[in-house]
Amino acid sequence: MATSQLTGQRNGADRQVDVGPTRSADSVSVLVRGQRITVDCPPWCTYPHGEAYRSLEDVSHHGDAISLAAPSHQGVEQVLTARISSWPFAGDPATENPFIAFDAVGDEVAQLTPEAALAAADQTVAHGYALRALVGIIAGGAQ
Protein backbone atom coordinates (compact mmCIF):
# COMPACT_ATOMS: atom_id res chain seq x y z
CA MET A 1 0.00 0.00 0.00
CA ALA A 2 1.42 3.33 -0.99
CA THR A 3 2.00 6.12 1.49
CA SER A 4 0.87 9.57 0.48
CA GLN A 5 0.25 12.94 2.04
CA LEU A 6 -1.73 15.67 0.34
CA THR A 7 -1.24 19.35 1.10
CA GLY A 8 -2.84 22.49 -0.24
CA GLN A 9 -2.72 26.27 0.07
CA ARG A 10 -5.26 28.07 2.26
CA ASN A 11 -6.64 31.48 1.18
CA GLY A 12 -3.46 32.52 -0.58
CA ALA A 13 -1.52 32.34 2.68
CA ASP A 14 1.93 30.87 2.67
CA ARG A 15 1.09 28.21 5.25
CA GLN A 16 0.10 24.73 4.10
CA VAL A 17 -2.96 22.87 5.32
CA ASP A 18 -3.16 19.09 5.36
CA VAL A 19 -6.26 18.15 3.33
CA GLY A 20 -5.86 14.39 3.30
CA PRO A 21 -4.81 11.44 5.38
CA THR A 22 -1.32 10.37 6.19
CA ARG A 23 -0.75 6.65 6.28
CA SER A 24 1.89 4.47 7.80
CA ALA A 25 2.03 0.72 7.39
CA ASP A 26 -0.61 0.10 10.06
CA SER A 27 -2.33 3.38 10.88
CA VAL A 28 -4.00 6.32 9.21
CA SER A 29 -4.38 9.89 10.37
CA VAL A 30 -7.95 11.14 9.81
CA LEU A 31 -9.79 14.39 10.47
CA VAL A 32 -12.73 13.96 12.90
CA ARG A 33 -14.65 17.12 13.87
CA GLY A 34 -11.63 19.22 12.95
CA GLN A 35 -9.22 17.17 15.06
CA ARG A 36 -6.49 14.99 13.56
CA ILE A 37 -6.52 11.50 15.10
CA THR A 38 -4.68 8.29 14.29
CA VAL A 39 -6.57 5.00 13.92
CA ASP A 40 -5.32 1.51 13.20
CA CYS A 41 -5.78 0.60 9.56
CA PRO A 42 -5.89 -3.10 8.60
CA PRO A 43 -3.45 -4.29 5.94
CA TRP A 44 -6.29 -5.09 3.49
CA CYS A 45 -7.71 -1.55 3.61
CA THR A 46 -7.17 0.45 0.41
CA TYR A 47 -9.72 3.15 1.24
CA PRO A 48 -8.12 6.62 1.02
CA HIS A 49 -9.71 8.04 4.23
CA GLY A 50 -9.60 11.49 2.61
CA GLU A 51 -12.87 12.96 3.81
CA ALA A 52 -13.47 14.84 7.04
CA TYR A 53 -15.59 12.68 9.37
CA ARG A 54 -18.40 13.96 11.59
CA SER A 55 -17.67 11.38 14.26
CA LEU A 56 -15.34 8.49 14.97
CA GLU A 57 -18.28 6.12 14.32
CA ASP A 58 -18.18 7.20 10.65
CA VAL A 59 -14.62 5.93 10.13
CA SER A 60 -14.67 2.70 8.12
CA HIS A 61 -12.21 0.48 6.29
CA HIS A 62 -12.72 -1.02 2.82
CA GLY A 63 -10.58 -3.26 0.60
CA ASP A 64 -10.51 -3.47 -3.17
CA ALA A 65 -13.67 -4.88 -4.75
CA ILE A 66 -13.83 -8.04 -6.78
CA SER A 67 -16.67 -8.60 -9.23
CA LEU A 68 -17.91 -10.81 -12.01
CA ALA A 69 -18.31 -9.21 -15.44
CA ALA A 70 -21.64 -10.27 -16.96
CA PRO A 71 -22.99 -9.44 -20.42
CA SER A 72 -25.98 -7.11 -20.58
CA HIS A 73 -27.93 -5.17 -23.20
CA GLN A 74 -25.73 -2.14 -22.42
CA GLY A 75 -22.46 -4.07 -22.79
CA VAL A 76 -21.01 -5.45 -19.58
CA GLU A 77 -22.27 -5.13 -16.00
CA GLN A 78 -20.22 -5.80 -12.90
CA VAL A 79 -22.24 -8.19 -10.70
CA LEU A 80 -21.58 -10.18 -7.55
CA THR A 81 -19.26 -7.49 -6.23
CA ALA A 82 -17.64 -8.11 -2.87
CA ARG A 83 -15.05 -6.41 -0.69
CA ILE A 84 -13.74 -6.66 2.85
CA SER A 85 -15.14 -3.88 5.05
CA SER A 86 -15.37 -2.92 8.70
CA TRP A 87 -16.79 -0.10 10.80
CA PRO A 88 -14.62 -0.55 13.91
CA PHE A 89 -16.10 2.33 15.95
CA ALA A 90 -19.78 2.12 14.99
CA GLY A 91 -20.75 0.15 18.09
CA ASP A 92 -22.26 -2.73 16.09
CA PRO A 93 -20.64 -6.11 16.82
CA ALA A 94 -21.72 -7.33 13.36
CA THR A 95 -19.63 -4.69 11.58
CA GLU A 96 -16.76 -3.85 13.93
CA ASN A 97 -14.81 -6.90 12.76
CA PRO A 98 -14.04 -7.46 9.06
CA PHE A 99 -16.93 -8.80 7.01
CA ILE A 100 -17.63 -9.32 3.31
CA ALA A 101 -19.74 -6.50 1.88
CA PHE A 102 -21.69 -8.38 -0.79
CA ASP A 103 -23.38 -6.57 -3.67
CA ALA A 104 -25.33 -8.65 -6.15
CA VAL A 105 -27.52 -5.94 -7.69
CA GLY A 106 -25.73 -2.58 -7.51
CA ASP A 107 -26.38 -1.83 -3.84
CA GLU A 108 -24.79 -3.61 -0.88
CA VAL A 109 -27.31 -6.30 -0.02
CA ALA A 110 -25.54 -8.25 2.71
CA GLN A 111 -22.81 -8.12 5.28
CA LEU A 112 -21.49 -11.68 5.28
CA THR A 113 -19.54 -13.47 7.98
CA PRO A 114 -16.72 -15.69 6.70
CA GLU A 115 -19.02 -18.72 6.93
CA ALA A 116 -21.81 -17.03 4.99
CA ALA A 117 -19.32 -15.76 2.38
CA LEU A 118 -18.05 -19.32 1.84
CA ALA A 119 -21.63 -20.52 1.40
CA ALA A 120 -22.25 -17.76 -1.17
CA ALA A 121 -19.05 -18.76 -3.01
CA ASP A 122 -20.17 -22.41 -3.07
CA GLN A 123 -23.57 -21.37 -4.41
CA THR A 124 -21.87 -19.26 -7.10
CA VAL A 125 -19.72 -22.22 -8.18
CA ALA A 126 -22.80 -24.47 -8.23
CA HIS A 127 -24.62 -21.87 -10.34
CA GLY A 128 -21.68 -21.93 -12.77
CA TYR A 129 -22.02 -25.70 -13.16
CA ALA A 130 -25.79 -25.34 -13.67
CA LEU A 131 -25.14 -22.69 -16.33
CA ARG A 132 -22.71 -25.06 -18.08
CA ALA A 133 -25.42 -27.75 -18.00
CA LEU A 134 -27.87 -25.38 -19.71
CA VAL A 135 -25.28 -24.68 -22.41
CA GLY A 136 -24.87 -28.42 -22.81
CA ILE A 137 -28.58 -28.82 -23.45
CA ILE A 138 -28.73 -26.28 -26.26
CA ALA A 139 -25.31 -27.18 -27.67
CA GLY A 140 -26.30 -30.85 -27.92
CA GLY A 141 -23.74 -32.26 -25.52
CA ALA A 142 -22.26 -32.05 -22.09
CA GLN A 143 -20.08 -29.04 -21.31
Side-chain angles (χ1 to χ4, degrees), residues 20-109:
T22 58
R23 186 184 293 264
S24 68
D26 60 352
S27 65
V28 64
S29 175
V30 297
L31 194 62
V32 178
R33 291 189 190 145
Q35 299 295 314
R36 179 86 32 211
I37 63 168
T38 301
V39 297
D40 291 338
C41 194
W44 48 262
C45 181
T46 57
Y47 190 67
H49 298 286
E51 72 270 21
Y53 298 96
R54 289 184 189 208
S55 69
L56 188 59
E57 291 82 11
D58 295 331
V59 175
S60 59
H61 300 291
H62 306 280
D64 291 334
I66 60 168
S67 61
L68 173 65
S72 75
H73 293 294
Q74 291 78 31
V76 175
E77 301 268 337
Q78 298 299 317
V79 299
L80 299 179
T81 300
R83 73 174 72 233
I84 301 172
S85 294
S86 72
W87 297 80
F89 309 107
D92 181 353
T95 62
E96 70 183 26
N97 293 313
F99 60 89
I100 302 298
F102 189 69
D103 173 356
V105 294
D107 188 21
E108 185 177 313
V109 295

